[in-house]
Amino acid sequence: MSALETTSPAQDDTRRRGPLAETLFSLMRSRTFLVGFAIVLFWVACALFGEHFAPYDPLADDIINALAPPSSEHWFGTDQIGRDVFSRVIVGSRDILTVAPLATVLATIAGTALGLLTGYFRGLVDDVVSRILEAFMAIPVVIVALLAIVALGTSKTTVIVVIGLSFAPIIARTVRSAVMAERELDYVAAAQLRHESAFHTMFVEILPNVIPPILVETTVRLGYAIFAVATLSFMGFGIQPPSPDWGLSISSNYGMIGGGFWWTVLFDALAIASLVIGVNLAADGVHGAFND
Amino acid sequence: MSLSLVTLFLLSTMVFLGGQVLPGNVGRAILGPFADQRAVDALNHSLGVDRPLLTQYWTWISNFVQGDMGTSYIFRSPVAPFVIDALGNSMKLAAVAFVLVVPIGILGGVIAALNLNRPLDRIISLGGLSVTVLPEFVTGIILILIFGVWLRWLPISAAWPKDAGFFTQLYYLILPSLPLFLVLFGYIARMARSGMIEALDSDYTRTAVLKGLPWRTVIWRHVLRNALMPTITVIATQTGYLIGGLVVIETLFRYQGIGSLIFTAARGKDFPMLESGILTIGIVYAVATLIADFLYSVLNPRIRLGSEQ
């Protein structure tokens, strides 16, 4: 004990930043993170304030000017009922940026709870729950979503719950392996010797120490959640009309792609691509910052 | 293998609950809100959906195992021929994607590893990662625009003319298989790359180099064999993903595969069609996992010899 106390503070004296500040510092130096974060921030700003600087009402139709190609009046052209594509792309970030983060939060909460339980108790609980989770992970999200939507009907809540529950096992697996390593440490044994409840040991003692892997996994999952929400909206199982959502716009316009009306789908596709890549770059940066 | 059986069981229960129990009155859904109640009851009785749940589940599973997939609510004819046709079409599409992606993905990973941290590695790794994270319908739309609308090299729909020969079908399948290719490429290349890096860094590779073997032999006989082991597992787990991707791609390209069959069945609440489609997919997944386990043990002498002892 005394040996530990003499060596570690001496080394820390030179750089007295907390571990959190240290991580933030290395995040700010990561070019990958900054680029990704800037892209995400741009779309968040569009979601929040897009209405105010969009040149047209994203929902207002104008049949006479339907399917007009990009021009100085309509930068991205108009869709089949004359709505301004540029305005729709800007405001279209709103729904996906609400549904995907909520689904990720749900997945993180459920996954963390499951991961703590299976990692802490091990034995029979771990065996049974982990097997079921693994088996569940093999089922594609699209299939789960399809079934849920057939059974429950389409709504944002259904999408959030489906994606949240589908991703929870993946987060649970990460948390579980982190907990398995933590529970061998002395502070857990100390808590157990103090006769702390299992709940206290898991959520008060262990949880704060496994936050970094959870944060990393959450940012990675957010990218996949955006992927999933966009895909479900495209399939008609996600966000519903008249929302100017990107996936939904593509699904209602791609039928005319053969007629050469490329502007009705290209900009929405590029918007999704940029958001997904932005989140993944940011996630990559977070991963790097915590693992240096 | 036991795990994929658990997956199958979970899947069948979910399908059964999701398709049968939760949506409520099947007869009413088919006949519409204005149909006579007696007609609805009669239809429910003839479809067998008024029986106890466990009986229905048991009948369904035991019939399925015997090859009887039930009768489509919408087409009023046996489901099996539809599912078999669709599965065949999907297999063609998946085969084209796999035949393209497995060698190219492995090659990409190997080249990246051999050029570790040089520009070529950066391009392959970053490029692979970027295309992997994009939804298939997004890459699909962009590819359709480039090759179908602007360049007019490839047809934008996968529905080939009747009596099309092998090469015509192949021609129609190139564009739909590309989005699947892009997603899989990133995964396979990344696994092959990290496997290669590990193998190149190992003692046996150093020994092989030091005893004077030509570099080519070292790579082919010593490095590749060990490097590709984890890649095979990844390829097998990607069949699960591939199935999800097929639902999207087949819808986008109007292709009559199992993905679009499930999609259409879900929209029309055609329960027997939906459940048979999904269960068939589950079985395909289980078989793919089994084949991967088998291949892995054939290629890995430690497992092969270990089980013989």
Side-chain angles (χ1 to χ4, degrees):
Chain A
M1 198 66 188
S2 61
L4 263 174
E5 275 169 0
T6 49
T7 53
S8 59
Q11 280 175 338
D12 272 354
D13 261 0
T14 46
R15 294 167 79 186
R16 256 216 179 272
R17 287 196 211 97
L20 187 69
E22 192 68 51
T23 308
L24 277 178
F25 188 70
S26 68
L27 258 187
M28 286 303 127
R29 277 181 312 183
S30 148
R31 217 174 344 143
T32 331
F33 175 79
L34 290 178
V35 171
F37 190 67
I39 298 173
V40 176
L41 212 59
F42 169 76
W43 286 120
V44 171
C46 286
L48 291 175
F49 314 111
E51 283 172 331
H52 303 295
F53 61 86
Y56 294 87
D57 176 355
L59 301 181
D61 53 72
D62 177 10
I63 292 292
I64 301 167
N65 283 317
L67 291 171
S71 63
S72 56
E73 245 171 276
H74 296 281
W75 290 0
F76 290 178
T78 60
D79 70 2
Q80 49 186 327
I81 55 172
R83 293 175 296 198
D84 181 50
V85 175
F86 180 63
S87 307
R88 290 176 65 77
V89 169
I90 288 177
V91 182
S93 58
R94 181 172 292 172
D95 281 318
I96 198 167
L97 280 176
T98 333
V99 173
L102 283 176
T104 313
V105 169
L106 176 65
T108 306
I109 294 171
T112 303
L114 281 169
L116 280 169
L117 281 175
T118 50
Y120 183 74
F121 285 114
R122 294 191 293 192
L124 193 64
V125 177
D126 183 27
D127 278 347
V128 173
V129 177
S130 291
R131 273 307 96 85
I132 294 175
L133 291 183
E134 266 173 59
F136 187 70
M137 265 192 280
I139 306 174
V141 184
V142 177
I143 302 286
V144 181
L146 227 130
L147 283 170
I149 270 108
V150 169
L152 308 169
T154 331
S155 75
K156 281 186 198 169
T157 320
T158 318
V159 177
I160 292 170
V161 171
V162 164
I163 296 176
L165 294 187
S166 301
F167 286 0
I170 305 168
I171 295 182
R173 189 175 52 180
T174 308
V175 177
R176 173 175 171 269
S177 59
V179 171
M180 301 257 271
E182 284 294 321
R183 79 185 300 284
E184 301 304 323
L185 299 180
D186 287 344
Y187 75 90
V188 177
Q192 285 166 341
L193 286 174
R194 288 201 306 272
H195 291 291
E196 300 284 8
S197 68
F199 183 85
H200 178 95
T201 317
M202 278 189 279
F203 287 88
V204 182
E205 299 284 342
I206 297 181
L207 182 58
N209 291 301
V210 293
I211 291 289
I214 295 177
L215 266 181
V216 172
E217 189 62 46
T218 302
T219 48
V220 173
R221 277 310 121 199
L222 179 61
Y224 285 101
I226 290 171
F227 184 125
V229 174
T231 301
L232 292 182
S233 300
F234 169 72
M235 305 290 293
F237 294 146
I239 294 153
Q240 294 297 303
S243 165
D245 177 74
W246 301 328
L248 190 62
S249 294
I250 293 180
S251 102
S252 52
N253 287 308
Y254 83 94
M256 303 176 304
I257 215 172
F261 306 110
W262 53 271
W263 58 88
T264 56
V265 290
L266 178 67
F267 300 109
D268 291 289
L270 292 179
I272 297 174
S274 69
L275 179 61
V276 172
I277 289 181
V279 171
N280 275 284
L281 288 178
D284 207 43
V286 172
H287 179 81
F290 276 114
N291 289 288
D292 273 347
Chain B
M1 185 56 200
S2 61
L3 188 63
S4 36
L5 285 180
V6 180
T7 305
L8 260 183
F9 174 72
L10 260 179
L11 193 63
S12 67
T13 316
M14 276 171 51
V15 169
F16 186 72
L17 286 175
Q20 184 94 330
V21 182
L22 294 170
N25 199 324
V26 179
R28 179 60 73 191
I30 295 173
L31 295 175
F34 307 113
D36 191 56
Q37 183 59 42
R38 278 167 301 178
V40 172
D41 289 343
L43 182 61
N44 277 341
H45 189 72
S46 72
L47 293 173
V49 290
D50 55 351
R51 290 170 304 155
L53 286 178
L54 271 178
T55 324
Q56 286 185 47
Y57 183 77
W58 177 246
T59 322
W60 169 49
I61 290 287
S62 52
N63 283 344
F64 190 92
V65 172
Q66 292 162 33
D68 174 10
M69 300 186 187
T71 308
S72 160
Y73 290 167
I74 289 179
F75 297 102
R76 304 285 164 89
S77 65
V79 165
F82 288 97
V83 174
I84 291 167
D85 264 10
L87 188 65
N89 282 341
S90 287
M91 293 268 199
K92 282 183 197 165
L93 178 56
V96 174
F98 260 90
V99 166
L100 287 174
V101 82
V102 172
I104 298 179
I106 290 177
L107 191 70
V110 169
I111 290 175
L114 291 176
N115 293 281
L116 193 60
N117 293 332
R118 292 200 208 124
L120 197 57
D121 174 33
R122 292 277 158 76
I123 293 170
I124 293 174
S125 304
L126 255 175
L129 200 66
S130 321
V131 291
T132 297
V133 298
L134 294 178
E136 303 85 0
F137 79 96
V138 171
T139 44
I141 284 284
I142 294 174
L143 289 167
I144 290 179
L145 284 176
I146 297 176
F147 295 107
V149 177
W150 292 331
L151 295 173
R152 300 201 174 276
W153 287 355
L154 296 164
I156 58 170
S157 147
W160 52 70
K162 263 206 167 116
D163 306 321
F166 175 75
F167 288 102
T168 316
Q169 294 191 7
L170 201 61
Y171 175 63
Y172 275 81
L173 285 177
I174 294 174
L175 202 48
S177 65
L178 278 182
L180 301 171
F181 170 89
L182 289 178
V183 173
L184 292 173
F185 174 83
Y187 283 110
I188 294 179
R190 189 168 52 187
M191 283 311 288
R193 178 178 176 272
S194 60
M196 276 297 283
I197 291 172
E198 199 181 316
L200 281 170
D201 200 35
S202 65
D203 291 342
Y204 57 76
T205 304
R206 196 178 53 187
T207 309
V209 173
L210 289 180
K211 76 182 178 189
L213 287 180
W215 186 232
R216 193 176 291 268
T217 318
V218 176
I219 297 289
W220 277 105
R221 302 252 337 247
H222 296 265
V223 178
L224 270 182
R225 248 187 110 141
N226 290 290
L228 297 186
M229 223 83 82
T231 314
I232 291 164
T233 327
V234 167
I235 293 171
T237 51
Q238 291 309 312
T239 46
Y241 147 75
L242 191 68
I243 289 156
L246 281 177
V247 179
V248 180
I249 289 301
E250 290 175 358
T251 312
L252 180 63
F253 287 92
R254 303 201 169 74
Y255 186 61
Q256 302 287 321
I258 195 105
S260 66
L261 176 126
I262 291 171
F263 178 70
T264 323
R267 293 222 129 171
K269 307 219 164 181
D270 192 349
F271 176 54
M273 189 77 97
L274 180 69
E275 69 184 14
S276 309
I278 295 183
L279 208 56
T280 308
I281 277 177
I283 291 169
V284 170
Y285 174 76
V287 172
T289 319
L290 190 68
I291 292 175
D293 282 352
F294 176 71
L295 268 181
Y296 193 83
S297 67
V298 167
L299 286 172
N300 190 341
R302 272 167 297 194
I303 291 181
R304 188 177 61 216
L305 298 176
S307 59
E308 278 169 11
Q309 277 165 5

